[in-house]
Amino acid sequence: MVRAPCCEKAGLKRGPWAQEEDDILIDYINKNGHGSWRSLPKHAGLLRCGKSCRLRWTNYLRPDIKRGPFTPEEEKLVIQLHAILGNRWAAIAVQLPGRTDNEIKNLWNIHLRKRLTSMGIDPQTHEPFYLEGSSKRLPTSSSTRHMAQWENARLEAEARLSMESLGLSLLTPPNKVTNTDYFLRVWHSEVGECFRKGKPVCFSPASQASVSSTTTEIVTKPNHEPDTGFSCVTMKDDPGITKPSSPSETEDSSYSILQFFDFHGHDDMSFLEG
DNA sequence: AACTAGATCAACCGCGCATTA
DNA sequence: ATAATGCGCGGTTGATCTAGT
């Protein structure tokens, strides 16, 4: 099958948009909505193809577009989401109101990718670069090893979800808790929520938590101080990651999510700081 | 002041998916 | 079931800007 061109190229304008064209497009969409992008230019009187109109509107003219440089918080979120979603810019953009996929893609390609590379982290996989010539290709440090563990867990989780969506049985015994399970649980727990929102997390003493006696489980309790965003989290029999030892045993000790990672071996999150 | 290299970002291109005929 | 169409996505390009020499 041969794809028909999206528009008749002859006679259509290309390149940068003039103010006058922007005005026409804004005025038309405000009055009529965009409707069919393909027919919009004809109805609006623009010598552009529908695709070009859609791009101009979604990336530049939309009233809810947030202009200006990305804040450090936005940059952190992009890095975190990229670690989970990969190059799915549109999906990442959903989490950053007012930012477009194109803008985020540019931010990544121009700034963040270089920053991660300079930190010794592969920006595509979020894994550390490995030691040259090492037969076992070991990560260079505990912190980078930890990053690799999380990335592996993410990949396993995605594979698992794909398998499950296909209705295929999994090889993992039902009573065996994997790092994948751990990753998914943490990600979908209040810890993950706090991680995504940059809120602090409070680890409660194990004795106060309701932990299932039959399975390894992460238990979250409702926020005891909603205004602070604190959550109570405890873990039991975690297979891969050790519960924080000293401060967490203190009642109401609170930690940022970055400290959460610190406790588990990732001691360098400075790249998130911009 | 003139030139150059690198950085930036808006816009384009081609592909794949979903929907419709 | 197949072809045609529309749309959105990610990758790439090229014009413009900026800093350095």
Side-chain angles (χ1 to χ4, degrees):
Chain A
M1 183 174 69
V2 178
R3 169 174 291 272
C6 75
C7 54
E8 185 57 55
K9 303 277 185 192
L12 292 183
K13 196 178 169 198
R14 299 184 56 198
W17 280 63
Q19 182 61 50
E20 166 185 328
E21 291 177 300
D22 285 346
D23 293 342
I24 292 171
L25 184 58
I26 291 168
D27 188 54
Y28 180 85
I29 291 178
N30 284 342
K31 285 178 182 165
N32 308 288
H34 64 71
S36 162
W37 286 111
R38 192 180 171 84
S39 59
L40 183 148
K42 188 180 167 189
H43 293 143
L46 285 164
L47 288 172
R48 295 274 183 174
C49 77
K51 207 170 182 176
S52 180
C53 292
R54 180 177 61 80
L55 208 64
R56 184 65 179 168
W57 176 257
T58 55
N59 284 345
Y60 202 84
L61 299 177
R62 247 170 48 201
D64 57 330
I65 293 282
K66 189 198 288 183
R67 312 301 305 176
F70 280 73
T71 65
E73 289 71 28
E74 286 176 316
E75 292 187 357
K76 280 184 195 176
L77 188 54
V78 170
I79 292 171
Q80 291 162 0
L81 290 168
H82 188 272
I84 303 299
L85 299 168
N87 291 5
R88 282 175 257 174
W89 308 117
I92 293 172
V94 168
Q95 305 299 322
L96 286 98
R99 300 296 188 182
T100 68
D101 54 353
N102 208 34
E103 220 177 351
I104 292 167
K105 183 168 55 181
N106 283 332
L107 172 76
W108 180 264
N109 288 333
I110 293 163
H111 299 291
L112 302 183
R113 193 166 60 176
K114 289 175 188 170
R115 195 180 299 163
L116 288 180
T117 301
S118 70
M119 292 293 301
I121 295 169
D122 185 334
Q124 209 52 47
T125 64
H126 290 254
E127 288 184 28
F129 291 121
Y130 292 95
L131 288 169
E132 288 285 336
S134 167
S135 60
K136 294 188 75 175
R137 294 175 58 78
L138 292 173
T140 56
S141 68
S142 64
S143 63
T144 50
R145 267 200 305 279
H146 184 71
M147 287 288 284
Q149 285 172 1
W150 274 72
E151 178 60 14
N152 285 340
R154 180 182 74 80
L155 294 171
E156 281 182 34
E158 287 193 347
R160 174 185 289 264
L161 289 170
S162 300
M163 295 281 281
E164 285 172 351
S165 71
L166 290 169
L168 300 174
S169 64
L170 297 167
L171 296 175
T172 308
N175 62 340
K176 182 176 186 295
V177 177
T178 65
N179 284 338
T180 304
D181 299 318
Y182 181 83
F183 177 85
L184 286 174
R185 286 180 183 179
V186 171
W187 188 254
H188 291 300
S189 73
E190 290 183 41
V191 178
E193 180 73 8
C194 289
F195 180 51
R196 293 189 291 276
K197 291 183 175 175
K199 290 179 179 176
V201 178
C202 173
F203 294 95
S204 67
S207 60
Q208 292 185 355
S210 57
V211 180
S212 161
S213 59
T214 55
T215 61
T216 299
E217 196 161 1
I218 300 162
V219 178
T220 61
K221 295 197 292 187
N223 288 355
H224 60 293
E225 289 181 28
D227 290 342
T228 67
F230 284 7
S231 301
C232 293
V233 178
T234 192
M235 288 162 272
K236 180 193 177 190
D237 298 335
D238 174 65
I241 299 177
T242 311
K243 194 163 76 73
S245 54
S246 60
S248 65
E249 301 301 329
T250 308
E251 194 171 356
D252 284 337
S253 295
S254 62
Y255 306 92
S256 73
I257 192 66
L258 298 186
Q259 286 172 305
F260 172 80
F261 282 106
D262 289 348
F263 277 120
H264 297 309
H266 191 269
D267 52 6
D268 186 2
M269 296 291 277
S270 59
F271 67 91
L272 293 176
E273 298 301 328

